[in-house]
Amino acid sequence: MIEKPLTPDDVDFVTTLHGDEGVSFVVLLQPRGDQADALLRAIDDVALGELKDAVHEGEEPEGEDAHAPAELALEHSVRALRDAGSEAVGQVIERHPLDKLKSVVEEANADEVIVLTAPHYVEEFFHRDWASRARHKVGVPVLKLFAHSE
C-alpha cells in the first residue's frame, strides 16, 4: 500500500527485502487527498519541519481531481517494480482501503503487507495510521516502511 509514486530508492528497498527470493507485488494506492484531512497532513508537515508543505496542504487534489494523478503515480510505480525484475500489478483505491487490502491479501494468498508511507505523527500516535489499522484486519504480517523523498 502506497500513497505516492515509488522512488528508485523505494523500489530498490522493497525488491531486495527478501534477498534473491522472487517476489511479486499488488500495489494499492489511495490518492493522498483522500487519506486524511488537510489539517492532520499540515500538522505532520510542521512536525517534520516542512513548513512550505504545510502551507500548501489545502491545494492537494481530492475526489475526482485526485484520480488522474493517482493513476499516473500507480502506473509509474508498477512500471518501476517490473523494470526491477518483479511481477507487479496495481489498483487505485478510492473507498474502503482496508477492506480492499484484506480482499487482495486473501485473493493473492499474500505472505505479508508492506505499507510504504511518509511519517504521519498524529495518526501514528493514536495508532490510526494504515499499518496499525491493517495489522488488525489482514491476517498476515504488516511491515511499515518510510518512503524515500526525491
Side-chain angles (χ1 to χ4, degrees):
M1 182 173 257
I2 62 174
E3 63 185 3
K4 64 178 190 167
L6 296 176
T7 67
D9 288 333
D10 294 330
V11 171
D12 185 54
F13 194 36
V14 299
T15 58
T16 60
L17 278 173
H18 297 288
D20 293 333
E21 182 180 330
V23 293
S24 62
F25 296 92
V26 177
V27 182
L28 302 178
L29 182 144
Q30 184 181 27
R32 187 166 184 240
D34 293 343
Q35 292 176 6
D37 66 30
L39 176 61
L40 291 179
R41 292 193 314 261
I43 291 170
D44 286 335
D45 290 337
V46 170
L48 291 169
E50 298 170 355
L51 300 177
K52 289 181 183 177
D53 291 340
V55 171
H56 297 288
E57 281 298 343
E59 299 169 9
E60 192 73 37
E62 296 188 16
E64 283 298 316
D65 294 337
H67 191 75
E71 287 287 346
L72 288 174
L74 179 65
E75 181 182 320
H76 165 83
S77 299
V78 169
R79 186 178 336 109
L81 290 166
R82 289 177 181 163
D83 289 348
S86 296
E87 293 180 28
V89 295
Q91 182 176 354
V92 173
I93 306 301
E94 296 188 41
R95 297 178 189 258
H96 311 293
L98 293 176
D99 292 338
K100 182 62 178 178
L101 179 61
K102 181 178 180 174
S103 69
V104 166
V105 165
E106 291 168 355
E107 291 166 12
N109 199 23
D111 295 323
E112 71 181 350
V113 168
I114 299 172
V115 176
L116 191 66
T117 181
H120 297 292
Y121 293 116
V122 175
E123 288 96 341
E124 290 170 25
F125 181 78
F126 292 106
H127 303 284
R128 300 301 302 155
D129 59 297
W130 291 122
S132 296
R133 293 168 57 199
R135 285 186 183 108
H136 300 287
K137 185 113 179 158
V138 297
V140 297
V142 176
L143 179 60
K144 179 180 182 174
L145 302 174
F146 290 116
H148 293 81
S149 296
E150 279 196 339

